[in-house]
Amino acid sequence: MSARISNRIVNSVIYSIAVLWLIPLIWVIYMAFRPKELALSPKFTFDFTLANFVNVWQGAPFSVYYLNTIIIVLGVLAVQIFTVTLAAYAFARLQFWGKSIFFTLFLMQIMIPNDVLIFPNYSILKELSLLDTRTGIMIPYFASAFGVFLLRQFFKTIPVELEEAAKVEGLSKWAILWKIYFPLGKSAYISFALVSISYHWNNFLWPLIVTNSVEKRPLTVGLSLFAQSSETGAQWSEVTAATLLVSAPLLIGFFFFQKQFISSFMQSGIK
Protein backbone atom coordinates (compact mmCIF):
# COMPACT_ATOMS: atom_id res chain seq x y z
CA MET A 1 0.00 0.00 0.00
CA SER A 2 1.51 3.31 -1.01
CA ALA A 3 1.99 6.19 1.39
CA ARG A 4 -0.54 8.26 -0.56
CA ILE A 5 -3.31 5.68 -0.10
CA SER A 6 -2.43 5.30 3.59
CA ASN A 7 -2.71 9.05 4.09
CA ARG A 8 -6.11 9.08 2.40
CA ILE A 9 -7.37 6.29 4.67
CA VAL A 10 -6.08 8.09 7.76
CA ASN A 11 -7.64 11.37 6.62
CA SER A 12 -10.95 9.62 5.91
CA VAL A 13 -11.00 8.15 9.42
CA ILE A 14 -10.18 11.55 10.95
CA TYR A 15 -12.91 13.31 8.95
CA SER A 16 -15.41 10.58 9.87
CA ILE A 17 -14.65 10.99 13.57
CA ALA A 18 -14.94 14.77 13.22
CA VAL A 19 -18.37 14.42 11.60
CA LEU A 20 -19.52 12.04 14.35
CA TRP A 21 -18.33 14.57 16.95
CA LEU A 22 -20.23 17.36 15.20
CA ILE A 23 -23.57 15.55 14.97
CA PRO A 24 -24.70 16.29 18.58
CA LEU A 25 -23.67 19.95 18.25
CA ILE A 26 -25.51 20.36 14.92
CA TRP A 27 -28.59 18.65 16.38
CA VAL A 28 -28.62 21.00 19.39
CA ILE A 29 -28.33 24.08 17.15
CA TYR A 30 -31.06 22.77 14.81
CA MET A 31 -33.46 21.96 17.66
CA ALA A 32 -32.80 25.23 19.48
CA PHE A 33 -34.14 27.25 16.54
CA ARG A 34 -36.93 24.83 15.60
CA PRO A 35 -40.56 25.72 16.47
CA LYS A 36 -41.88 23.89 19.50
CA GLU A 37 -44.71 22.17 17.60
CA LEU A 38 -42.21 20.74 15.07
CA ALA A 39 -39.60 19.66 17.61
CA LEU A 40 -40.27 15.93 17.32
CA SER A 41 -41.33 15.93 13.67
CA PRO A 42 -39.16 13.58 11.54
CA LYS A 43 -39.46 15.89 8.52
CA PHE A 44 -36.73 18.44 7.86
CA THR A 45 -38.09 21.95 7.33
CA PHE A 46 -36.64 25.44 7.15
CA ASP A 47 -39.00 26.77 9.85
CA PHE A 48 -36.89 28.53 12.46
CA THR A 49 -37.76 30.77 15.39
CA LEU A 50 -36.15 32.69 18.26
CA ALA A 51 -39.16 32.13 20.52
CA ASN A 52 -37.41 29.24 22.28
CA PHE A 53 -34.64 31.54 23.52
CA VAL A 54 -37.20 34.14 24.67
CA ASN A 55 -39.16 31.48 26.59
CA VAL A 56 -35.98 30.15 28.18
CA TRP A 57 -34.77 33.59 29.25
CA GLN A 58 -38.17 34.39 30.75
CA GLY A 59 -38.68 30.93 32.25
CA ALA A 60 -35.60 30.89 34.50
CA PRO A 61 -33.22 33.52 35.99
CA PHE A 62 -30.49 32.90 33.42
CA SER A 63 -29.19 36.45 33.80
CA VAL A 64 -28.41 35.66 37.46
CA TYR A 65 -26.87 32.33 36.46
CA TYR A 66 -24.70 34.07 33.86
CA LEU A 67 -23.51 36.71 36.34
CA ASN A 68 -22.66 34.07 38.96
CA THR A 69 -20.79 31.95 36.42
CA ILE A 70 -18.75 34.89 35.12
CA ILE A 71 -17.84 35.99 38.67
CA ILE A 72 -16.84 32.44 39.64
CA VAL A 73 -14.85 31.73 36.47
CA LEU A 74 -12.96 35.04 36.43
CA GLY A 75 -12.43 35.01 40.21
CA VAL A 76 -10.90 31.54 40.13
CA LEU A 77 -8.76 32.41 37.11
CA ALA A 78 -7.41 35.64 38.67
CA VAL A 79 -6.27 33.84 41.83
CA GLN A 80 -4.93 30.89 39.86
CA ILE A 81 -2.80 33.15 37.65
CA PHE A 82 -1.17 34.56 40.78
CA THR A 83 -0.60 31.24 42.58
CA VAL A 84 0.53 29.17 39.58
CA THR A 85 2.94 31.90 38.43
CA LEU A 86 4.73 31.95 41.78
CA ALA A 87 4.80 28.16 42.08
CA ALA A 88 5.93 27.64 38.47
CA TYR A 89 8.73 30.18 38.83
CA ALA A 90 9.91 28.52 42.05
CA PHE A 91 10.00 25.06 40.46
CA ALA A 92 11.60 26.36 37.25
CA ARG A 93 14.27 28.74 38.55
CA LEU A 94 14.80 28.58 42.32
CA GLN A 95 17.00 26.02 44.03
CA PHE A 96 15.81 24.58 47.35
CA TRP A 97 16.01 21.34 49.29
CA GLY A 98 13.64 18.58 48.08
CA LYS A 99 12.63 20.49 44.95
CA SER A 100 12.18 17.35 42.82
CA ILE A 101 10.29 15.51 45.56
CA PHE A 102 7.94 18.44 46.18
CA PHE A 103 7.31 18.84 42.46
CA THR A 104 6.51 15.14 42.09
CA LEU A 105 4.11 15.31 45.04
CA PHE A 106 2.60 18.45 43.54
CA LEU A 107 1.96 16.70 40.23
CA MET A 108 0.22 13.82 42.01
CA GLN A 109 -2.67 16.20 42.53
CA ILE A 110 -3.42 15.89 38.80
CA MET A 111 -4.11 12.17 39.27
CA ILE A 112 -6.55 12.69 42.15
CA PRO A 113 -10.15 13.17 40.93
CA ASN A 114 -11.78 16.26 42.37
CA ASP A 115 -14.86 14.22 43.26
CA VAL A 116 -12.82 12.32 45.87
CA LEU A 117 -12.23 15.59 47.74
CA ILE A 118 -15.87 16.68 47.84
CA PHE A 119 -16.60 15.45 51.37
CA PRO A 120 -13.52 16.97 53.10
CA ASN A 121 -13.95 20.21 51.14
CA TYR A 122 -17.62 20.37 52.12
CA SER A 123 -16.75 19.81 55.79
CA ILE A 124 -14.17 22.60 55.70
CA LEU A 125 -16.58 25.02 54.06
CA LYS A 126 -19.22 24.15 56.65
CA GLU A 127 -16.77 24.96 59.45
CA LEU A 128 -15.95 28.26 57.73
CA SER A 129 -19.65 29.09 57.14
CA LEU A 130 -19.00 29.42 53.40
CA LEU A 131 -21.71 27.08 52.14
CA ASP A 132 -24.07 28.60 49.56
CA THR A 133 -21.57 31.34 48.64
CA ARG A 134 -19.61 32.08 45.48
CA THR A 135 -16.42 32.08 47.55
CA GLY A 136 -17.21 28.55 48.69
CA ILE A 137 -17.50 27.42 45.06
CA MET A 138 -14.19 29.03 44.14
CA ILE A 139 -11.90 28.24 47.10
CA PRO A 140 -11.06 24.56 46.30
CA TYR A 141 -9.75 25.61 42.85
CA PHE A 142 -7.50 28.53 43.76
CA ALA A 143 -4.43 26.32 43.16
CA SER A 144 -3.87 24.27 39.99
CA ALA A 145 -1.23 21.56 39.59
CA PHE A 146 -1.86 21.52 35.85
CA GLY A 147 -1.26 25.27 35.61
CA VAL A 148 1.95 24.99 37.59
CA PHE A 149 3.23 22.22 35.35
CA LEU A 150 2.29 24.06 32.15
CA LEU A 151 3.92 27.34 33.17
CA ARG A 152 6.97 25.62 34.65
CA GLN A 153 7.63 23.92 31.34
CA PHE A 154 7.31 27.26 29.54
CA PHE A 155 9.44 29.20 32.04
CA LYS A 156 12.26 26.67 31.58
CA THR A 157 12.41 27.56 27.87
CA ILE A 158 13.13 31.24 28.68
CA PRO A 159 16.90 31.89 28.60
CA VAL A 160 18.42 32.33 32.05
CA GLU A 161 20.60 35.12 30.61
CA LEU A 162 17.53 37.37 30.40
CA GLU A 163 16.94 37.04 34.13
CA GLU A 164 20.64 37.54 34.93
CA ALA A 165 20.72 40.69 32.80
CA ALA A 166 17.64 41.98 34.63
CA LYS A 167 19.33 41.34 37.99
CA VAL A 168 22.35 43.32 36.81
CA GLU A 169 19.97 46.18 35.99
CA GLY A 170 18.74 46.03 39.58
CA LEU A 171 15.30 44.50 39.05
CA SER A 172 13.73 42.58 41.93
CA LYS A 173 12.23 39.10 41.48
CA TRP A 174 8.74 40.62 41.41
CA ALA A 175 9.82 43.00 38.63
CA ILE A 176 11.49 40.15 36.72
CA LEU A 177 8.30 38.10 36.92
CA TRP A 178 6.15 41.02 35.79
CA LYS A 179 8.42 42.40 33.02
CA ILE A 180 10.01 39.20 31.62
CA TYR A 181 8.22 35.97 32.50
CA PHE A 182 4.65 37.24 32.39
CA PRO A 183 4.85 38.90 28.92
CA LEU A 184 6.88 36.05 27.37
CA GLY A 185 4.48 33.45 28.76
CA LYS A 186 1.45 35.02 27.09
CA SER A 187 0.61 31.96 24.97
CA ALA A 188 0.93 29.62 27.96
CA TYR A 189 -1.28 31.88 30.05
CA ILE A 190 -3.90 31.96 27.27
CA SER A 191 -3.96 28.19 26.96
CA PHE A 192 -4.18 27.75 30.73
CA ALA A 193 -6.94 30.38 30.89
CA LEU A 194 -8.93 28.49 28.23
CA VAL A 195 -8.59 25.22 30.12
CA SER A 196 -9.48 26.83 33.45
CA ILE A 197 -12.43 28.79 32.06
CA SER A 198 -13.88 25.79 30.19
CA TYR A 199 -13.54 23.55 33.27
CA HIS A 200 -15.14 25.96 35.72
CA TRP A 201 -17.78 27.08 33.22
CA ASN A 202 -18.87 23.44 32.90
CA ASN A 203 -18.33 22.47 36.54
CA PHE A 204 -21.58 21.03 37.84
CA LEU A 205 -21.29 18.63 40.80
CA TRP A 206 -19.44 20.86 43.27
CA PRO A 207 -21.67 23.96 42.74
CA LEU A 208 -24.74 21.71 42.95
CA ILE A 209 -23.65 20.41 46.36
CA VAL A 210 -22.50 23.75 47.77
CA THR A 211 -25.36 26.03 46.65
CA ASN A 212 -28.93 26.06 47.84
CA SER A 213 -30.25 29.42 46.65
CA VAL A 214 -30.99 30.69 43.14
CA GLU A 215 -28.88 33.81 43.76
CA LYS A 216 -25.67 31.75 44.03
CA ARG A 217 -26.21 29.06 41.38
CA PRO A 218 -24.09 29.01 38.18
CA LEU A 219 -25.33 28.18 34.68
CA THR A 220 -24.76 24.43 34.83
CA VAL A 221 -26.90 23.98 37.93
CA GLY A 222 -29.52 26.35 36.55
CA LEU A 223 -29.63 24.44 33.27
CA SER A 224 -30.06 21.15 35.11
CA LEU A 225 -32.98 22.50 37.13
CA PHE A 226 -34.52 23.98 33.99
CA ALA A 227 -34.17 20.67 32.12
CA GLN A 228 -35.86 18.84 35.00
CA SER A 229 -38.82 21.16 34.57
CA SER A 230 -39.36 19.53 31.14
CA GLU A 231 -41.61 17.06 32.98
CA THR A 232 -43.91 19.95 33.85
CA GLY A 233 -43.86 21.90 30.63
CA ALA A 234 -40.47 22.66 29.09
CA GLN A 235 -39.97 21.06 25.65
CA TRP A 236 -37.03 19.65 23.70
CA SER A 237 -36.67 22.83 21.69
CA GLU A 238 -36.50 24.95 24.87
CA VAL A 239 -34.09 22.61 26.61
CA THR A 240 -31.74 22.64 23.62
CA ALA A 241 -32.07 26.44 23.39
CA ALA A 242 -31.04 26.67 27.06
CA THR A 243 -28.15 24.28 26.40
CA LEU A 244 -26.98 26.45 23.50
CA LEU A 245 -27.19 29.56 25.69
CA VAL A 246 -24.91 27.91 28.24
CA SER A 247 -22.36 26.47 25.80
CA ALA A 248 -22.24 29.29 23.21
CA PRO A 249 -19.64 31.46 25.03
CA LEU A 250 -17.24 28.50 25.26
CA LEU A 251 -17.69 27.59 21.59
CA ILE A 252 -17.10 31.19 20.48
CA GLY A 253 -14.02 31.44 22.72
CA PHE A 254 -12.53 28.24 21.32
CA PHE A 255 -13.02 29.37 17.71
CA PHE A 256 -11.16 32.61 18.49
CA PHE A 257 -8.27 31.10 20.49
CA GLN A 258 -7.89 27.57 19.10
CA LYS A 259 -4.56 28.40 17.41
CA GLN A 260 -2.97 29.70 20.63
CA PHE A 261 -4.47 26.80 22.55
CA ILE A 262 -2.97 24.10 20.32
CA SER A 263 0.40 25.79 19.72
CA SER A 264 1.01 26.43 23.41
CA PHE A 265 0.32 22.79 24.30
CA MET A 266 2.69 21.61 21.59
CA GLN A 267 5.43 23.94 22.82
CA SER A 268 4.97 22.64 26.35
CA GLY A 269 5.27 19.02 25.22
CA ILE A 270 1.68 18.12 26.18
CA LYS A 271 -0.09 16.42 23.29
Side-chain angles (χ1 to χ4, degrees), residues 216-228:
K216 302 297 184 300
R217 285 172 181 152
L219 277 169
T220 50
V221 179
L223 174 63
S224 172
L225 296 177
F226 181 81
Q228 290 176 11

Side-chain angles (χ1 to χ4, degrees), residues 169-211:
E169 294 293 328
L171 293 181
S172 64
K173 287 192 181 298
W174 287 106
I176 292 173
L177 270 174
W178 179 249
K179 294 184 178 181
I180 296 179
Y181 285 89
F182 194 77
L184 293 178
K186 182 181 175 182
S187 59
Y189 281 109
I190 290 175
S191 65
F192 171 68
L194 288 172
V195 172
S196 176
I197 289 172
S198 61
Y199 179 83
H200 295 291
W201 190 280
N202 292 319
N203 195 6
F204 169 71
L205 185 57
W206 176 244
L208 176 66
I209 294 173
V210 173
T211 58

Side-chain angles (χ1 to χ4, degrees), residues 7 11 24-25 44 139 158 161 165 170 174 177 185 194 222 238 259:
N7 289 335
N11 290 336
L25 179 61
F44 176 81
I139 277 184
I158 298 175
E161 290 77 11
W174 287 106
L177 270 174
L194 288 172
E238 293 177 343
K259 185 177 179 181

Side-chain angles (χ1 to χ4, degrees), residues 17-268:
I17 294 174
V19 171
L20 288 175
W21 181 85
L22 280 174
I23 287 176
L25 179 61
I26 295 172
W27 185 83
V28 167
I29 296 174
Y30 175 69
M31 288 295 293
F33 290 95
R34 194 162 171 78
K36 186 187 300 185
E37 58 274 13
L38 299 176
L40 299 180
S41 173
K43 293 182 179 179
F44 176 81
T45 63
F46 289 98
D47 297 320
F48 296 103
T49 179
L50 295 176
N52 298 326
F53 293 95
V54 175
N55 294 336
V56 167
W57 198 261
Q58 294 176 346
F62 273 91
S63 58
V64 176
Y65 298 153
Y66 256 103
L67 179 62
N68 290 336
T69 303
I70 291 172
I71 292 175
I72 292 168
V73 168
L74 295 184
V76 170
L77 179 62
V79 178
Q80 281 183 336
I81 291 294
F82 179 74
T83 57
V84 301
T85 299
L86 296 183
Y89 177 77
F91 284 122
R93 292 295 186 226
L94 302 184
Q95 298 300 326
F96 53 90
W97 182 86
K99 176 180 173 181
S100 300
I101 297 175
F102 284 123
F103 185 63
T104 303
L105 293 174
F106 207 81
L107 289 183
M108 288 176 68
Q109 182 190 341
I110 298 176
M111 295 181 283
I112 300 175
N114 291 326
D115 296 348
V116 176
L117 303 175
I118 283 179
F119 180 72
N121 287 339
Y122 185 88
S123 300
I124 293 173
L125 288 186
K126 187 177 180 180
E127 293 294 327
L128 297 175
S129 301
L130 288 176
L131 292 177
D132 198 25
T133 63
R134 300 189 192 96
T135 307
I137 299 175
M138 294 188 285
I139 277 184
Y141 301 100
F142 280 165
S144 170
F146 168 73
V148 172
F149 176 71
L150 182 67
L151 287 178
R152 173 187 176 270
Q153 297 300 101
F154 193 88
F155 286 171
K156 289 177 74 69
T157 64
I158 298 175
V160 181
E161 290 77 11
L162 279 176
E163 184 174 346
E164 293 176 347
K167 289 179 180 176
V168 172
E169 294 293 328
L171 293 181
S172 64
K173 287 192 181 298
W174 287 106
I176 292 173
L177 270 174
W178 179 249
K179 294 184 178 181
I180 296 179
Y181 285 89
F182 194 77
L184 293 178
K186 182 181 175 182
S187 59
Y189 281 109
I190 290 175
S191 65
F192 171 68
L194 288 172
V195 172
S196 176
I197 289 172
S198 61
Y199 179 83
H200 295 291
W201 190 280
N202 292 319
N203 195 6
F204 169 71
L205 185 57
W206 176 244
L208 176 66
I209 294 173
V210 173
T211 58
N212 296 317
S213 61
V214 175
E215 292 76 16
K216 302 297 184 300
R217 285 172 181 152
L219 277 169
T220 50
V221 179
L223 174 63
S224 172
L225 296 177
F226 181 81
Q228 290 176 11
S229 68
S230 61
E231 298 175 359
T232 57
Q235 302 297 319
W236 274 107
S237 53
E238 293 177 343
V239 172
T240 52
T243 304
L244 192 59
L245 276 177
V246 173
S247 57
L250 287 182
L251 293 172
I252 295 171
F254 180 76
F255 286 135
F256 274 104
F257 295 103
Q258 59 177 317
K259 185 177 179 181
Q260 292 90 335
F261 185 83
I262 296 172
S263 63
S264 178
F265 271 76
M266 293 184 69
Q267 290 172 9
S268 303

